[in-house]
């Protein structure tokens, strides 16, 4: 509720930055998918862009050739992301460590090349254009200033957050935490570790597909950059900044990264990466659990100082 209240306030405080704020909301959905896969299930990945791009292209093609309804497009994007994650996950989840990470990157690279070669369908390097969406729920048309797109993205992000909250607190989510901590122990008590990991990866793919579909519908353009390795890497950095294994950490980390990125790049287009790098190093060294753990760390530090004074 606090995050939703801040998002509503941001609409009125920054009315001329709605495109940027909408981008933050879309990235929050993508980082939430990474958090489910990595933070809860313990599946290291640098290829979440594979599902994100699949959802974007699927939603874009669906709008152009079949039906331009936004909600239906979200469903198509989610299905596309889930299918890609499920098919690849059947192989990927049989590996671990560096091999798994490299294979996730390879899947995204393969899909990138397929989209590039299928120029007649995807537009190739020129991107998929001509996406003209119908009004949301048949009433709210996408406007030039981005108001409808912002509220639409906010509603989707809130629903995804709520759904993942329920999922991670359910027995399935708790079993994912157990698998993350000790796959051997979970296997010993009879938990189907392999299939739970495949399922988590597929659900994470569906969420990433929703993020991609949002991008296609709101920007009305899909480019090959949706499969870029940089997108997966940035999503992972955002999650690390906020804190893995906590959905609120994904929201905090994404917002902080994108705001700092926006401000730093605007002030120094050539050296803004220095600011991002310094911020990541500071969090990794002083708050290994992410910014979500800052209140706890501060409370311990304050308590330790009081105890020292008493001594």
């Amino acid at each position: 509720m606090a995050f939703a209240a801040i998002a509503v306030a941001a609409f009125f405080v920054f009315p001329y930055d709605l495109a940027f704020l909408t981008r933050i909301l879309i990235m929050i959905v993508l980082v939430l998918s990474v958090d489910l896969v990595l933070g809860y299930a313990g599946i290291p990945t640098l290829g979440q862009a594979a599902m994100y791009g699949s959802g974007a292209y699927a939603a874009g093609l669906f709008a152009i050739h079949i039906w331009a309804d936004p909600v239906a497009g979200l469903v198509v994007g989610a299905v596309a992301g889930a299918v890609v994650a499920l098919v690849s996950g059947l192989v990927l989840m049989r590996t671990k460590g560096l091999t798994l990470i490299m294979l996730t990157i390879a899947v995204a690279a393969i899909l990138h090349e397929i989209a590039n070669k299928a120029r007649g369908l995807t537009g190739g390097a020129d991107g998929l254009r001509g996406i003209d969406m119908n009004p949301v729920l048949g009433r709210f048309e996408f406007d030039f200033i981005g108001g409808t797109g912002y509220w639409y993205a906010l509603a989707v992000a809130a629903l995804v957050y709520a759904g993942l909250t329920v999922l991670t607190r359910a027995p399935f989510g708790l079993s994912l935490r157990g698998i993350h901590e000790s796959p051997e122990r979970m296997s010993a008590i009879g938990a189907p570790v392999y299939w739970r990991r495949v399922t988590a990866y597929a659900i994470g793919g569906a969420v990433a597909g929703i993020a991609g579909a949002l991008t296609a519908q709101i920007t009305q353009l899909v480019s090959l950059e949706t499969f870029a390795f940089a997108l997966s890497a940035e999503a992972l950095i955002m999650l690390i900044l906020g804190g893995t294994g906590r959905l609120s950490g994904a929201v905090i980390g994404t917002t902080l990264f994108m705001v700092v990125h926006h401000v730093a790049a605007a002030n120094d287009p050539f050296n803004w990466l220095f600011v991002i790098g310094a911020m990541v190093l500071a969090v990794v060294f002083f708050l290994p659990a992410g910014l979500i753990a800052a209140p706890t760390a501060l409370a311990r530090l304050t308590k330790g100082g009081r105890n020292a004074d008493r001594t």
Side-chain angles (χ1 to χ4, degrees):
M1 294 300 294
F3 293 143
I6 293 173
V8 171
F11 177 84
F12 298 100
V13 176
F14 305 104
Y16 302 108
D17 295 309
L18 293 182
F20 173 62
L21 296 176
T22 303
R23 180 62 180 166
I24 292 178
L25 292 173
I26 294 174
M27 286 304 298
I28 284 175
V29 177
L30 176 61
V31 177
L32 285 172
S33 75
V34 179
D35 197 18
L36 176 66
V37 172
L38 174 63
Y40 285 88
I43 303 170
T45 176
L46 277 172
Q48 205 68 1
M51 283 67 78
Y52 176 86
S54 298
Y57 274 102
L61 292 170
F62 182 78
I64 294 173
H65 299 290
I66 301 177
W67 190 19
D69 179 70
V71 177
L74 283 182
V75 175
V76 170
V79 171
V83 169
V84 170
L86 177 61
V87 172
S88 61
L90 292 174
V91 177
L92 297 182
M93 295 307 106
R94 296 187 182 278
T95 64
K96 59 182 180 180
L98 184 60
T99 302
L100 174 56
I101 294 175
M102 295 305 296
L103 286 177
T104 60
I105 298 174
V107 171
I110 291 171
L111 292 175
H112 179 282
E113 191 59 25
I114 291 174
N116 185 35
K117 293 296 184 182
R119 184 180 181 85
L121 182 64
T122 65
D126 294 330
L128 181 65
R129 303 174 183 273
I131 303 173
D132 188 14
M133 301 305 301
N134 292 341
V136 180
L137 301 178
R139 298 184 58 186
F140 308 101
E141 294 186 3
F142 288 95
D143 54 315
F144 180 75
I145 63 173
T148 299
Y150 178 79
W151 290 114
Y152 176 50
L154 176 59
V156 173
L159 289 174
V160 169
Y161 188 96
L164 290 180
T165 298
V166 174
L167 179 68
T168 54
R169 294 180 180 178
F172 175 77
L174 297 178
S175 69
L176 291 183
R177 284 190 176 276
I179 293 171
H180 186 184
E181 295 297 328
S182 178
E184 295 79 10
R185 184 174 299 175
M186 291 297 292
S187 180
I189 64 175
V193 173
Y194 170 76
W195 288 109
R196 292 284 171 87
R197 285 162 61 91
V198 170
T199 303
Y201 196 64
I203 296 174
V207 175
I210 290 174
L214 276 176
T215 298
Q217 294 174 351
I218 294 174
T219 64
Q220 298 183 3
L221 171 69
V222 183
S223 69
L224 293 177
E225 296 302 314
T226 55
F227 288 117
F229 168 76
L231 180 64
S232 297
E234 286 185 356
L236 182 59
I237 292 174
M238 294 174 193
L239 179 60
I240 292 173
L241 283 175
T244 61
R246 296 283 295 275
L247 298 179
S248 53
V251 177
I252 293 172
T254 303
T255 304
L256 176 66
F257 178 93
M258 297 199 66
V259 170
V260 172
H261 178 191
H262 182 71
V263 174
N267 285 278
D268 190 347
F270 301 102
N271 301 306
W272 62 269
L273 275 174
F274 176 82
V275 179
I276 297 294
M279 180 175 64
V280 172
L281 286 175
V283 170
V284 170
F285 278 109
F286 300 106
L287 289 170
L291 292 172
I292 193 67
T296 303
L298 183 60
R300 290 177 179 176
L301 183 63
T302 303
K303 184 177 180 181
R306 290 176 180 175
N307 292 336
D309 292 339
R310 292 174 182 175
T311 303

